[in-house]
Amino acid sequence: MTNTKGLRRGTRYMFSRKFRTHGQLPLSIYLKSYKVGDIVDIKGDGAVQKGMPHKAYHGKTGRIFNVTRRAVGVIVNKRVKGRILPKKINIRVEHIKQSRCREDFLNRVKSNDEMKRAAKATGEKVNTKRLPLAPRLERFVSTYQNQPTVVEQIPYEFIS
């Protein structure tokens, strides 16, 4: 048998709905508002075939450049041979969700601003850089009244 060459080949699990989430989509998906410049994650939903992205864009993150009634235009980077090309694709809102990729960054900016404000009030200098985790402090482990235990496998017993 030859290899299939269809548009949706190899998407048996990619576009399938998760366990106990089959059927009609919740209304909250349609009630979300998207603005130009928002960062969104693309995930094709098998329950809605209209406006579905190609499987190459499944799992990618892009930025919205156009908003219509039922769909949005998204700029996504796609690797084609040795190049990365920005592609403009139109996707219905059922197949996208707000990305959480900038959440940690925005939280860090907010906490840094609070630290700077507090330091300015007290007249101190504060370091807002991220530092790598330092190695643990040295310690001495005594074996007095602390006998080492030997860790080994439990022998397999066949119970019939």
Side-chain angles (χ1 to χ4, degrees), residues 102-157:
R102 283 178 58 84
E103 214 170 67
D104 288 337
F105 170 72
L106 295 174
N107 290 340
R108 200 171 73 244
V109 168
K110 191 180 289 184
S111 67
N112 285 351
D113 288 343
E114 289 174 7
M115 286 168 51
K116 287 177 186 174
R117 198 175 302 115
K120 192 172 185 181
T122 59
E124 296 175 358
K125 192 172 184 181
V126 67
N127 184 16
T128 57
K129 291 184 178 179
R130 291 177 290 170
L131 298 172
L133 192 64
R136 294 186 295 179
L137 297 173
E138 63 184 19
R139 63 181 61 82
F140 181 75
V141 178
S142 174
T143 57
Y144 177 71
Q145 291 185 348
N146 183 18
Q147 293 299 318
T149 57
V150 179
V151 180
E152 57 186 15
Q153 295 174 335
I154 300 171
Y156 177 75
E157 296 177 13

Side-chain angles (χ1 to χ4, degrees), residues 26-45:
L27 282 177
S28 61
I29 289 176
Y30 299 99
L31 295 175
K32 286 182 183 139
S33 61
Y34 296 99
K35 297 187 288 289
V36 173
D38 284 355
I39 298 175
V40 292
D41 294 331
I42 300 169
K43 182 181 178 187
D45 194 335

Side-chain angles (χ1 to χ4, degrees), residues 13-120:
Y13 302 105
M14 187 185 291
F15 292 147
S16 65
R17 302 287 302 278
K18 296 290 178 250
F19 182 59
R20 287 203 203 123
T21 61
H22 298 278
Q24 201 163 8
L25 298 175
L27 282 177
S28 61
I29 289 176
Y30 299 99
L31 295 175
K32 286 182 183 139
S33 61
Y34 296 99
K35 297 187 288 289
V36 173
D38 284 355
I39 298 175
V40 292
D41 294 331
I42 300 169
K43 182 181 178 187
D45 194 335
V48 182
Q49 287 83 38
K50 273 191 168 182
M52 186 183 271
H54 188 265
K55 62 183 179 179
Y57 301 106
H58 186 82
K60 300 283 188 287
T61 302
R63 189 176 292 268
I64 293 179
F65 73 92
N66 184 30
V67 179
T68 59
R69 284 187 304 171
R70 295 183 188 87
V72 294
V74 183
I75 298 176
V76 186
N77 285 336
K78 183 180 180 186
R79 190 172 156 272
V80 180
K81 294 183 181 171
R83 302 171 298 169
I84 295 177
L85 304 175
K87 306 283 279 188
K88 288 186 174 183
I89 56 174
N90 293 312
I91 308 171
R92 281 177 74 115
V93 292
E94 295 95 329
H95 308 292
I96 62 170
K97 64 175 184 175
Q98 286 281 355
S99 181
R100 298 179 61 193
C101 64
R102 283 178 58 84
E103 214 170 67
D104 288 337
F105 170 72
L106 295 174
N107 290 340
R108 200 171 73 244
V109 168
K110 191 180 289 184
S111 67
N112 285 351
D113 288 343
E114 289 174 7
M115 286 168 51
K116 287 177 186 174
R117 198 175 302 115
K120 192 172 185 181

